[in-house]
């Protein structure tokens, strides 16, 4: 087979490296704080350093990596505020996606969503976080596809990897599947308001679980403290922010 040439080959190599490193972060093979060295990544994937550098730029923009210095790139540790921001955005966009999907869904699309729900149930029974994460992500991704809004899909796409990673932090995957089933039933019934309510409940419940698992704190109190701190910052003005290094307080 002829090799790809020019920018097409370069882009393909970048995407392969990007997907491989991203999957290692999501699966936990690469942990927060682990350092990425261009030379080692290039050797592992059998490519030059150029696509590795390009892949690192993509993963930096997606929030999977961070530059702690000009020459040191590490896997990023999501902060408490990072998780809050991620769920705030997901809440706004995913509820909209569910509304549009419920309005527009045709029978073949609903049937496909039902098959994905069945696949997610089978994955849940395995107890394997990576399989559960992938199946749940596929379910949400199909809802966005049904919504038929390319701008919405493009906005959600960079969040997908981080949401897959967060799905793996869930300590009760069966409860997540039950919420997906309730969401599916509302979409199948064509009840837009009910589907939106269930989507909102799902995102907010999942946010509480993620915060509890990741930070060992109860989400409602922590979120309320974060909101109060944000309000205090607005009142005080820039340069007088309180210390948020301990989100749960003393």
């Amino acid at each position: 087979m002829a090799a790809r040439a020019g920018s097409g080959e370069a882009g393909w190599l970048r995407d392969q490296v990007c997907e491989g490193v991203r999957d290692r972060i999501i699966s936990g093979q690469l942990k927060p704080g682990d350092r990425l060295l261009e030379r080692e990544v290039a050797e592992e994937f059998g490519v030059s350093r150029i696509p590795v550098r390009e892949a690192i730029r993509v993963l930096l923009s997606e929030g999977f990596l961070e530059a702690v210095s000009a020459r040191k790139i590490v896997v990023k540790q999501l902060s408490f505020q990072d998780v809050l921001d991620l769920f705030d955005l997901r809440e706004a966009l995913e509820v909209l996606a569910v509304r549009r999907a419920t309005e527009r869904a045709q029978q073949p699309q609903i049937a496909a969503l039902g098959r994905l729900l069945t696949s997610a149930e089978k994955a849940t029974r395995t107890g394997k976080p990576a399989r559960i994460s992938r199946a749940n992500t596929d379910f949400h991704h199909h809802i966005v596809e049904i919504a038929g809004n390319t701008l919405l899909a493009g906005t959600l796409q960079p969040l997908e990897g981080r949401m897959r990673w967060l799905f793996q932090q869930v300590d009760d995957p069966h409860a997540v599947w039950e919420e997906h089933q309730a969401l599916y039933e509302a979409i199948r019934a064509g009840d837009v308001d009910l589907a939106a309510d269930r989507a909102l409940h799902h995102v907010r419940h999942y946010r509480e679980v993620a915060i509890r698992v990741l930070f060992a704190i109860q989400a409602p109190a922590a979120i309320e403290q974060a909101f109060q701190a944000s309000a205090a910052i607005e009142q005080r003005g820039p340069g007088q922010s309180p210390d948020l290094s301990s989100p749960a307080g003393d």
Side-chain angles (χ1 to χ4, degrees):
M1 181 181 293
R4 293 176 178 83
S7 60
E9 181 181 12
W12 181 80
L13 291 174
R14 176 203 62 215
D15 292 345
Q16 293 302 301
V17 175
C18 203
E19 182 177 348
V21 174
R22 187 190 295 115
D23 284 347
R24 283 162 175 74
I25 295 171
I26 291 170
S27 69
Q29 290 177 261
L30 287 172
K31 302 184 185 310
D34 284 354
R35 185 175 183 180
L36 259 70
L37 297 174
E38 282 186 10
R39 173 180 49 78
E40 292 181 357
V41 176
E43 289 176 357
E44 180 180 355
F45 287 91
V47 299
S48 72
R49 294 195 184 189
I50 294 174
V52 173
R53 289 188 195 118
E54 292 177 349
I56 286 174
R57 290 191 194 101
V58 172
L59 294 169
L60 283 167
S61 70
E62 290 181 354
F64 282 104
L65 303 177
E66 64 177 337
V68 296
S69 69
R71 300 179 62 84
K72 187 175 181 181
I73 304 293
V74 301
V75 177
K76 183 175 181 179
Q77 171 70 63
L78 285 179
S79 70
F80 177 76
Q81 190 62 50
D82 288 334
V83 174
L84 279 186
D85 291 346
L86 186 58
F87 275 100
D88 280 348
L89 189 55
R90 184 183 170 207
E91 180 179 308
L93 297 177
E94 197 153 310
V95 172
L96 174 60
V98 166
R99 279 190 169 276
R100 293 294 175 265
T102 307
E103 292 168 347
R104 299 173 179 177
Q106 301 298 312
Q107 189 54 45
Q109 296 169 314
I110 294 173
L113 190 63
R115 289 191 292 272
L116 289 170
L117 183 66
T118 300
S119 296
E121 181 184 23
K122 291 177 180 177
T124 299
R125 288 175 178 172
T126 70
K128 296 180 179 178
R131 285 190 60 183
I132 296 168
S133 160
R134 172 61 72 180
N136 287 331
T137 301
D138 288 345
F139 178 81
H140 282 276
H141 183 67
H142 190 59
I143 290 174
V144 176
E145 286 184 343
I146 296 172
N149 185 318
T150 55
L151 184 59
L152 176 61
T155 305
L156 278 166
Q157 194 277 330
L159 306 179
E160 186 175 295
R162 277 173 286 179
M163 294 312 304
R164 274 181 58 202
W165 183 80
L166 283 170
F167 269 131
Q168 293 195 193
Q169 314 308 313
V170 172
D171 55 0
D172 188 0
H174 186 72
V176 173
W177 180 84
E178 288 180 338
E179 290 181 6
H180 284 174
Q181 182 182 38
L183 179 56
Y184 165 75
E185 294 294 346
I187 293 172
R188 186 175 67 169
D191 192 327
V192 176
D193 290 337
L194 179 60
D197 284 346
R198 287 180 175 175
L200 182 62
H201 168 78
H202 177 56
V203 173
R204 289 181 174 175
H205 173 240
Y206 188 29
R207 176 180 64 187
E208 291 182 10
V209 171
I211 289 174
R212 173 170 50 78
V213 171
L214 291 172
F215 304 105
I217 54 178
Q218 294 301 312
I223 293 169
E224 179 61 27
Q225 183 187 37
F227 288 158
Q228 290 175 358
S230 296
I233 291 171
E234 291 177 1
Q235 292 175 358
R236 296 178 186 187
Q240 303 180 54
S241 302
D243 182 9
L244 296 178
S245 58
S246 178
D250 295 332

